[in-house]
């Protein structure tokens, strides 16, 4: 009997872990796990795992933040700490130039993409609505551009 309940518990734990770690899925309290990864991952400020980059200044200058997953509202990333969720804006990485520490929403002038398979699209409104600017996949080198339709009016991002 003990062995049976331990097996059932292990199966339940594995199922919960699969739901919470699958990209783009909702976890506890309606969280978007992919947005949490954009917020919590060290790859957002260093490394090469995340391929899309927001820049504070034009011509890929100033502070930056990398994203690896779609983000529906750059001003509000729901983070679960114990039983009380908190919401945090996605910010430029500290110590990366002019604009570091500031929120990304409505504060980006340029973007770049180093993903070789997917393009990226930045939207004027949250939840991928309104005017947008896109950048093609990097083939073979990263592609960057200044924002025009969403210059300092950017609210969400997704791969295209």
């Amino acid at each position: 009997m003990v062995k049976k309940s331990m097996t059932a518990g292990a199966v339940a734990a594995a199922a919960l872990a699969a739901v919470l770690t699958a990209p783009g899925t909702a976890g506890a309290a309606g969280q978007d796990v992919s947005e949490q990864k954009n917020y919590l991952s060290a790859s957002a400020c260093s490394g090469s795992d995340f391929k899309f980059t927001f820049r504070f200044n034009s011509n890929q200058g100033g502070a930056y933040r990398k994203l690896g997953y779609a983000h529906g509202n750059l001003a509000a990333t729901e983070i679960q700490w114990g039983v009380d969720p908190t919401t945090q804006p996605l910010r430029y990485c500290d110590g990366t130039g002019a604009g570091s520490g500031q929120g990304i929403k409505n504060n980006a002038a340029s973007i770049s993409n180093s993903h070789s398979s997917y393009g990226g699209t930045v939207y004027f409104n949250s939840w991928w609505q309104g005017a947008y600017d896109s950048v093609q996949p990097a083939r073979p080198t990263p592609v960057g551009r200044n924002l025009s339709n969403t210059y300092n009016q950017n609210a969400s991002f997704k791969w295209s």
Side-chain angles (χ1 to χ4, degrees):
M1 181 84 151
V2 172
K3 186 175 185 178
K4 189 175 187 180
S5 65
M6 285 177 33
T7 303
V11 169
L16 179 60
V19 168
L20 292 177
T21 59
T25 61
Q31 301 166 337
D32 186 334
V33 174
S34 63
E35 290 186 8
Q36 289 183 24
K37 290 178 183 178
N38 283 332
Y39 186 82
L40 298 171
S41 176
S43 292
C45 294
S46 63
S48 59
D49 291 340
F50 286 3
K51 306 293 184 186
F52 192 86
T53 306
F54 278 95
R55 289 296 205 145
F56 183 76
N57 290 336
S58 297
N59 303 314
Q60 284 73 56
Y64 67 84
R65 179 153 198 129
K66 299 177 181 184
L67 276 71
Y69 302 88
H71 210 96
N73 182 355
L74 297 170
T77 304
E78 189 175 314
I79 305 297
Q80 184 74 23
W81 300 110
V83 295
D84 296 323
T86 61
T87 303
Q88 299 292 323
L90 203 58
R91 298 185 182 282
Y92 288 106
C93 300
D94 289 334
T96 59
S100 67
Q102 294 189 36
I104 293 174
K105 184 173 183 177
N106 297 333
N107 219 2
S110 61
I111 55 175
S112 63
N113 182 20
S114 61
H115 200 295
S116 61
S117 298
Y118 298 103
T121 303
V122 175
Y123 292 86
F124 187 89
N125 295 320
S126 296
W127 308 113
W128 314 291
Q129 301 293 314
Y132 60 89
D133 286 301
S134 294
V135 64
Q136 64 193 17
R139 294 186 185 148
T141 59
V143 178
R145 65 170 285 204
N146 291 334
L147 296 172
S148 56
N149 298 317
T150 61
Y151 181 88
N152 287 338
Q153 295 294 320
N154 52 291
S156 58
F157 159 78
K158 74 176 176 179
W159 295 106
S160 50

